[in-house]
Amino acid sequence: MVQFRDAVSAYKALNGLICVYKPPCVPVKQVMHIVKTNLCRDLNALPGRPIEKRVEIVGSTTEPMQVKLVPNYADNPLVCGPRYINDDIRCSWATHLGLFSSGVLLLGINEGTRITYKINVGRPTRAFKVHGQLGKATDTYFWNGRTMERSTFHHITREKMDKVVAHMQAAHQKTMFEQSGLQMDSQQTYELASQGLIRPADNKLPVIYGMKCVYFNPPNFTLEIQSVNEYDKYLWTLIHDLGVQLKSTAYCTAVQCIRQGKFDVDLALLRKHWSLEHIAYNMNMCQEILDENERLLKPESAILSA
Amino acid sequence: MALSSAFNKFYKSFRNREITKQLCGYLQYATSSSLIKNEDFGANALKPVSEDLSTITPYFPNTFNLAAYVNQSDTLKNLVNLNVNLSKIEKKPFIVDKILKLDFEKDMKSHIIFLNDFVGMEEIGNFITKNPMILCEPLEDLQVRVNYLYSKGFKGDQINRIISKNPFWLMFSTIRIDDRLGFYQKCLTLCGREVRDLAVKQPKLITYNLHAVKCNLFVIKEEMGFEDNEVKEIVLNKPKLLMLNQRNLLERFNFIHNEMKISHQTILKTPEILMCRKFRIKQRHLFLEKLGRSQYNPKKENYVPIKSLIEDTDTEFCRNIAKCSVDDFNTFLKTL
């Protein structure tokens, strides 16, 4: 843990990226608000700068006047309010997570907001664990929706599941080349494709690089998905499509982001650890990762690296 | 009532402009009178002056807060020395307006000496921060309200607790307090001693918004399904339940009763479980369930007391109840 001696040095040190674990059903905006409020609380608890002095010139103007140095009441925290307030701390997210999703969330604090912008533009891949349940379809494709349909799922085996998941992955890989923005029958495309996976040209289109069923215990199952440009609703529809292709129905029960770029879930700070010391320590850890992997912020080519 | 609320709105809309105008008026009052006296219309501006000019102060410009004036005003300085947080008071301009008309020696001193008997010197700053309007109430009224409490059979230390825990109590007239005590007595069918216990245990409840209290009583009785005498027991045990957000309260109960399968009787014995935020109960319960230890029936083996879900830190919870290391618990939390 990082120990701070006074609030001024602590505030100056708070520039960088942190990695928090967003709980489900808490919006990202609230996460940022909690982080900011906790930081202010801890900064105000540390010994701050001393109260300024004030020069007062008193006495009658006809006689020699007295110059006095008195404590400045206007600088007292009781009068001018706490030294650090939420507005003093800037905070922004790197990539958004929906209300019901949980998992790794990168936040930039103060100067770190620039890093989050670069990460957002750099589009690192994210890995998700998407939990689903067979036998029921809802109107939102998620647990919060109304039930639209029920069906049996006894005919679904692990093999069938793997087959359909592999088929879906292959279909997505094909669209990956189509969305690279290159002509399909050119030498350039061939050279790019021969090096491995590539990024889409458009930053709105979701592209899935890998899909795997990691847990299967009907009716519950879990998929692990690596992708770029995805959003929570897209992952829900994926589960719904999977259910349809399995000749049954399915809906999504949870979406959990387990990795973003090089930042994985082990690094993420839990809600109870969102305090100044933990955040400062986490900031150093994240900075080390950023220093080791410069490509995270500046991808050189369309080849998928992280 | 309607008039005063209209007044408040008016002040809120004019906020800081209004305060500062008022303030400038008071602070410059002394200086301007001396100025007029000394003014000599025919004098040359560059001529050296032999009179005492120390009473002339620069013009106070309009500002957004009290910090600009605190160095000039002895009253405000004294309040700061008492640990009153002016930055919180100035959030409500209509209160600031009334406070600034008061003089420390003349208006505030007797009030502070009076409050000192009940609140204590350390807490007085906090008290005035929360309810600065107490300084505008007539002292006789405050004495009458304290006497009312004595007449209702409250003891001295009980009255101290009531007044220090709820700074707004003394703002309510004896008629309103009497109405409210009567409301709780009728609503929960309490006897005199129980009403006193309730008021001493949670003084804020008596002056709380009655609509919210009625809603929460409805939630506890109709939506949760407790009997009348059970409601009374719960409220006397944890009066703060009536001051919670009703939606949160119901969500917590739904989780505890429907998902954890805790019976009404158990909740009745440990109503503090309803005071704990849902996510804290949920994560500990799911962890115990994962370990196969979520056994809340005291008659079977491996009994986990329901209280353990809400008290102690996570480290102690893991060591004493879950019998594992706190790292396992943290890893589990990252799978939710």
Side-chain angles (χ1 to χ4, degrees):
Chain A
M1 290 305 102
V2 190
Q3 291 291 334
F4 289 110
R5 223 168 289 146
D6 64 322
V8 181
S9 66
Y11 180 74
K12 279 182 186 153
L14 279 178
N15 289 309
L17 195 71
I18 60 166
C19 176
V20 297
Y21 189 87
K22 174 181 142 8
C25 299
V26 180
V28 173
K29 209 173 170 186
Q30 196 182 335
V31 171
M32 295 202 293
H33 184 255
I34 299 173
V35 167
K36 277 199 244 179
T37 317
N38 287 1
L39 282 178
C40 289
R41 181 198 64 198
D42 294 344
L43 283 173
N44 287 325
L46 285 175
R49 64 177 168 81
I51 293 175
E52 281 172 8
K53 294 281 182 197
R54 182 170 178 273
V55 179
E56 255 183 17
I57 303 168
V58 287
S60 168
T61 44
T62 49
E63 293 153 30
M65 295 173 84
Q66 274 184 319
V67 179
K68 281 202 289 189
L69 204 61
V70 291
N72 188 356
Y73 274 88
D75 197 41
N76 194 319
L78 286 176
V79 180
C80 63
R83 288 275 185 263
Y84 298 94
I85 55 171
N86 280 16
D87 293 351
D88 291 331
I89 295 174
R90 282 174 291 143
C91 188
S92 65
W93 41 261
T95 33
H96 196 260
L97 274 180
L99 171 61
F100 297 106
S101 312
S102 61
V104 177
L105 178 70
L106 295 179
L107 295 179
I109 307 273
N110 288 342
E111 287 301 304
T113 47
R114 292 175 191 196
I115 305 176
T116 55
Y117 171 75
K118 283 181 187 162
I119 288 180
N120 196 358
V121 173
R123 298 269 148 192
T125 53
R126 289 204 282 181
F128 284 90
K129 269 192 177 164
V130 185
H131 303 265
Q133 197 173 51
L134 293 164
K136 187 172 126 178
T138 60
D139 57 349
T140 56
Y141 313 124
F142 200 60
W143 55 258
N144 59 356
R146 274 191 310 130
T147 307
M148 302 307 280
E149 198 183 335
R150 284 186 185 279
S151 59
T152 58
F153 51 85
H154 303 294
H155 58 279
I156 299 169
T157 57
R158 177 81 198 224
E159 289 71 41
K160 279 188 188 168
M161 176 69 109
D162 285 342
K163 206 169 97 182
V164 172
V165 169
H167 179 252
M168 286 174 85
Q169 182 184 338
H172 276 285
Q173 295 222 335
K174 198 179 160 205
T175 53
M176 174 184 83
F177 291 113
E178 283 165 5
Q179 287 169 3
S180 63
L182 296 162
Q183 206 163 357
M184 287 315 282
D185 47 1
S186 64
Q187 177 67 22
Q188 202 186 6
T189 315
Y190 171 75
E191 275 165 13
L192 205 57
S194 62
Q195 291 178 42
L197 301 168
I198 48 180
R199 292 164 189 281
D202 189 351
N203 64 2
K204 294 284 185 295
L205 293 165
V207 172
I208 288 176
Y209 295 107
M211 243 173 123
K212 206 170 123 192
C213 180
V214 289
Y215 172 78
F216 185 73
N217 182 20
N220 297 314
F221 63 95
T222 305
L223 298 184
E224 207 175 290
I225 298 176
Q226 290 89 31
S227 56
V228 165
N229 296 337
E230 76 303 304
Y231 40 92
D232 49 349
K233 290 208 174 81
Y234 180 75
L235 296 171
W236 302 352
T237 53
L238 217 60
I239 295 287
H240 180 79
D241 289 347
L242 181 73
V244 172
Q245 288 192 31
L246 283 165
K247 310 247 175 3
S248 176
T249 46
Y251 73 104
C252 185
T253 50
V255 174
Q256 190 202 353
C257 176
I258 53 170
R259 180 177 64 79
Q260 174 164 8
K262 293 276 180 188
F263 303 93
D264 61 3
V265 82
D266 296 333
L267 189 70
L269 277 182
L270 284 168
R271 168 149 45 170
K272 59 182 173 183
H273 294 145
W274 295 345
S275 61
L276 180 64
E277 279 85 26
H278 285 95
I279 285 177
Y281 178 70
N282 191 268
M283 204 173 265
N284 293 344
M285 301 280 282
C286 287
Q287 193 55 47
E288 276 174 28
I289 291 179
L290 285 175
D291 292 341
E292 281 167 24
N293 308 282
E294 285 177 1
R295 272 182 311 184
L296 269 182
L297 300 182
K298 287 181 209 151
E300 282 151 4
S301 74
I303 305 293
L304 196 68
S305 54
Chain B
M1 205 58 208
L3 194 71
S4 71
S5 68
F7 230 82
N8 290 355
K9 266 183 206 161
F10 170 74
Y11 271 118
K12 270 177 197 163
S13 62
F14 277 83
R15 285 216 114 138
N16 299 306
R17 205 152 33 122
E18 280 303 310
I19 315 180
T20 47
K21 265 188 201 163
Q22 213 85 28
L23 201 58
C24 293
Y26 291 111
L27 289 173
Q28 290 204 310
Y29 176 71
T31 56
S32 59
S33 60
S34 61
L35 256 184
I36 291 165
K37 223 188 296 168
N38 294 342
E39 222 163 1
D40 187 20
F41 287 101
N44 184 359
L46 295 174
K47 208 174 85 183
V49 195
S50 56
E51 292 136 54
D52 183 11
L53 297 177
S54 60
T55 47
I56 303 174
T57 54
Y59 172 67
F60 290 115
N62 290 0
T63 86
F64 290 98
N65 45 34
L66 288 173
Y69 303 122
V70 74
N71 279 321
Q72 269 78 24
S73 159
D74 283 334
T75 308
L76 292 180
K77 272 186 193 169
N78 282 331
L79 284 180
V80 174
N81 290 340
L82 279 172
N83 264 336
V84 177
N85 197 334
L86 295 183
S87 69
K88 281 191 181 159
I89 293 180
E90 77 193 9
K91 299 255 164 66
K92 291 179 187 145
F94 58 98
I95 291 181
V96 174
D97 191 57
K98 293 209 168 136
I99 297 301
L100 287 175
K101 288 178 187 168
L102 303 177
D103 181 67
F104 190 80
E105 292 295 324
K106 235 174 20 202
D107 310 303
M108 293 187 182
K109 213 167 185 179
S110 49
H111 281 81
I112 289 168
I113 292 168
F114 175 81
L115 289 174
N116 189 21
D117 296 344
F118 300 103
V119 184
M121 213 54 212
E122 296 81 41
E123 279 300 301
I124 200 127
N126 199 5
F127 186 97
I128 296 178
T129 306
K130 287 196 178 130
N131 184 13
M133 294 295 273
I134 194 101
L135 300 172
C136 304
E137 290 284 301
L139 207 53
E140 302 85 54
D141 283 5
L142 300 184
Q143 191 58 52
V144 167
R145 285 163 199 174
V146 172
N147 290 345
Y148 167 80
L149 286 178
Y150 276 113
S151 77
K152 286 286 164 187
F154 286 95
K155 302 275 182 310
D157 54 333
Q158 289 179 328
I159 293 173
N160 288 359
R161 186 185 149 84
I162 287 176
I163 293 174
S164 54
K165 291 279 168 194
N166 184 358
F168 293 96
W169 183 289
L170 289 180
M171 299 298 285
F172 283 64
S173 68
T174 50
I175 302 167
R176 281 184 80 190
I177 290 282
D178 197 54
D179 277 353
R180 277 155 184 264
L181 290 175
F183 166 80
Y184 286 102
Q185 185 162 25
K186 214 175 87 193
C187 230
L188 301 163
T189 56
L190 305 174
C191 67
R193 192 182 53 80
E194 283 167 335
V195 174
R196 280 192 289 277
D197 283 351
L198 184 71
V200 172
K201 195 160 187 186
Q202 188 53 269
K204 279 179 197 155
L205 182 66
I206 307 297
T207 57
Y208 204 69
N209 180 1
L210 282 187
H211 177 71
V213 170
K214 279 178 195 161
C215 279
N216 278 11
L217 278 174
F218 179 83
V219 168
I220 294 176
K221 197 178 160 199
E222 308 291 338
E223 295 191 274
M224 294 188 190
F226 283 102
E227 302 291 325
D228 276 336
N229 57 339
E230 290 172 339
V231 174
K232 179 177 157 183
E233 201 184 320
I234 286 187
V235 170
L236 285 181
N237 206 340
K238 279 278 157 203
K240 212 180 170 194
L241 282 176
L242 293 183
M243 292 155 64
L244 297 179
N245 179 331
Q246 41 170 324
R247 223 186 74 200
N248 287 351
L249 188 60
L250 194 62
E251 262 181 19
R252 279 171 210 176
F253 178 80
N254 270 339
F255 182 78
I256 294 165
H257 185 65
N258 297 334
E259 291 192 36
M260 286 166 67
K261 308 287 178 204
I262 306 289
S263 67
H264 281 92
Q265 288 310 313
T266 321
I267 297 176
L268 201 61
K269 275 178 209 147
T270 51
E272 52 267 44
I273 189 148
L274 290 172
M275 296 294 300
C276 184
R277 287 197 282 174
K278 187 186 151 201
F279 82 91
R280 271 174 64 83
I281 307 173
K282 191 175 177 180
Q283 63 196 25
R284 287 190 179 186
H285 167 70
L286 290 177
F287 184 56
L288 288 181
E289 205 172 56
K290 190 104 180 172
L291 295 176
R293 283 182 170 275
S294 59
Q295 206 286 96
Y296 305 116
N297 188 348
K299 284 173 188 157
K300 294 186 189 157
E301 69 263 33
N302 284 335
Y303 161 62
V304 172
I306 193 84
K307 239 182 182 173
S308 67
L309 291 180
I310 49 169
E311 57 191 17
D312 289 343
T313 60
D314 282 344
T315 323
E316 283 164 15
F317 167 77
C318 286
R319 197 176 55 225
N320 301 333
I321 307 294
K323 318 272 188 215
C324 64
S325 83
V326 71
D327 293 336
D328 295 341
F329 183 54
N330 289 347
T331 317
F332 169 76
L333 289 182
K334 287 182 185 176
T335 63
L336 286 180

